[in-house]
Structures are given as structure tokens and as C-alpha cells.
Amino acid sequence: MGRAFEVRKNAMAKTAAAKTKVNSKYGKEIYVAAKNGGAELDTNLTLKRLIEKAKKDQVPAHVIDKAIEKAKGGAGEDYQPARYEGFGPGNCMVIIDCLTDNPNRTIKDVRLAFTKTNSKIGGPGTAAHSFDHQAVFAFEGDNDEEVLEALMMADVDVTDVEVEDGVVSVFAPHTEFFNVKTALGEAFPDVKLDVEEITFVPQTNVDIEGDDIPLFQKFMDMLNDSDDVQNIYHNAIVKG
């Protein structure tokens, strides 16, 4: 995974529609997190993680504040999570996470993306078994053993620590996100985290080549164009 994972994440970020889409996505997620768990960061770790991630992705403060104030007001939209899984172009596996106030609209958008790209939507668990739900951190460095030792000394449960092309990647169970972040901050206070997120990491990858490349791009574009789609996870590596 390592560097390849980081490169894939960067490529996925570039396919996101526009900055307004990114801001809207974070605004919705922050609103739901604050509405469900309260607006206090000390007690709502999900909200705390989302806000930190939003700031790193340069989401304006007013977008974050508006979402939290809206949640405090108690009114507003009633968003529900929805997850869809299936096989995308090139037989890659895909997980699509949504937040929606209109499930019929959402499934229509998602199903259309599959249909128009010769892909196949499946039922719950179709793709999820091929991914690990993990906390992932990446930063510049070349000593994975030092990082692993520091995390073990802090009694943190770690799945793997890799180093590739001058980048250290740490993989841990998603429940260990804040424990890993705290341990890294204490052991390496000068380290700048380039990646810090909870995500689905594919166990194996599928190369997308030839005629499947434009189909895969169309598939991603159609999903990203849906306001209800929040995150897309896949095991595709586009070749060429």
C-alpha cells in the first residue's frame, strides 16, 4: 500500500467536482456529526476529526461554523447515511458512502452511474469484504522501525507501518485513530501529517487499462456529480 495508497488518494481527490462540492460535502458531514453527537469537540471525537480534516482541506471557517450552528438549532435537513457497493469498470470493487434526505434520488443517481458504464451494482457486503476499515497516516520519513517502536511503546494497536519513496505510512484499526495521532504527535512533535483519515483500504488492487480507463473516469465523474455522494472507495489503479 504505502506510497501507492497516497498516490491513489491524490488521484481520487483530483476527480472531485469542484471546491464547492468539497465544501458542501464537509458541511453536510459536520452538520450530521454535530446534530447526532453534540457540538462539543471534547466529547464528540467524530466531529473533532472532521473539522481537523476540513481545515487541512482548506474548507473556509464560515462553512464549518455554519454547519455547527445549524446543528445546534435543531432544525434543518434530516440526512441519513446510505452505502452502495458493486463492481465498477474493469471489474474493480467500489464502496460508495452517501448522506441523503431523499433515498430514491440517491439510489437513482448511483444506479445510473453503474448502468451507463457497464458496471454492476450489488447488495450489502458485495465489495466491503475486500477492504479493511482503517485509520491511515502518512508523513515524510524513512525509519519505519522507529515509528513502530514508538507506537508500541504507547500501547497502540497497529496493523502495519511501511516506508516507501521517503514516505512512512501507518495503518491501524479505525477505532485507534486518535490513539495513533496522539502517539505520533508525542513521539515526533515536528512531523507534519500529509494523510490522516479513516478510510477503506483495499486488500488487493485492480489495474484499469485500455477502454476501461474512459469508462472509469465517467463512472467517477457521475458519482462525484451527485450531491448525495460523500466518499468513494475503490481498488482501481489507472494505467496510462
Side-chain angles (χ1 to χ4, degrees):
M1 290 179 284
R3 185 69 175 179
F5 173 82
E6 184 188 3
V7 170
R8 182 168 64 255
K9 291 296 292 183
N10 288 340
M12 289 171 66
K14 290 177 183 177
T15 65
K19 195 63 182 175
T20 51
K21 166 73 174 180
V22 175
N23 292 347
S24 174
K25 167 191 162 183
Y26 276 113
K28 191 183 292 186
E29 286 189 355
I30 289 169
Y31 164 75
V32 171
K35 188 175 182 180
N36 292 339
E40 296 299 323
L41 301 188
D42 290 341
T43 56
N44 190 341
L45 296 183
T46 298
L47 179 62
K48 181 179 179 181
R49 177 179 64 83
L50 278 172
I51 290 176
E52 289 176 350
K53 188 178 177 185
K55 289 179 177 178
K56 178 167 286 191
D57 284 345
Q58 299 180 331
V59 175
H62 71 83
V63 172
I64 297 172
D65 294 341
K66 182 180 179 180
I68 293 175
E69 289 302 316
K70 187 177 179 181
K72 285 181 179 178
E77 297 85 354
D78 183 20
Y79 293 113
Q80 299 296 325
R83 173 171 294 164
Y84 305 99
E85 303 177 37
F87 299 91
N91 211 35
C92 67
M93 289 190 168
V94 186
I95 299 174
I96 303 157
D97 277 350
C98 305
L99 281 175
T100 179
D101 58 356
N102 186 334
N104 290 333
R105 178 190 64 223
T106 307
I107 184 59
K108 181 180 177 182
D109 288 348
V110 172
R111 192 182 298 278
L112 188 64
F114 278 92
T115 302
K116 291 290 187 180
T117 57
N118 300 325
S119 303
K120 184 178 179 181
I121 192 169
T126 298
H129 69 278
S130 296
F131 292 78
D132 296 319
H133 196 199
Q134 294 191 315
V136 180
F137 300 81
F139 50 91
E140 291 184 5
D142 55 14
N143 194 333
D144 53 331
E145 293 184 3
E146 181 184 22
V147 173
L148 179 59
E149 182 178 356
L151 293 172
M152 292 180 66
M153 289 294 290
D155 199 26
V156 176
D157 184 11
V158 181
T159 304
D160 198 9
V161 179
E162 302 176 354
V163 61
E164 188 175 352
D165 296 335
V167 174
V168 175
S169 298
V170 177
F171 300 87
H174 66 95
T175 52
E176 290 287 289
F177 179 88
F178 283 103
N179 290 336
V180 173
K181 184 171 181 176
T182 299
L184 289 174
E186 291 176 352
F188 311 101
D190 295 329
V191 163
K192 177 181 177 293
L193 296 175
D194 297 316
V195 175
E196 47 174 317
E197 61 186 358
I198 294 175
T199 186
F200 284 93
V201 179
Q203 296 166 1
T204 58
N205 295 315
V206 172
D207 290 340
I208 304 297
E209 301 174 303
D211 294 340
D212 287 327
I213 293 177
L215 277 179
F216 179 78
Q217 187 62 58
K218 180 179 179 180
F219 180 71
M220 293 295 291
D221 288 344
M222 290 184 71
L223 290 174
N224 280 313
D225 283 343
S226 172
D227 290 337
D228 300 329
V229 173
Q230 293 294 110
N231 291 293
I232 308 165
Y233 309 98
H234 61 75
N235 67 341
I237 299 292
V238 178
K239 296 290 186 178

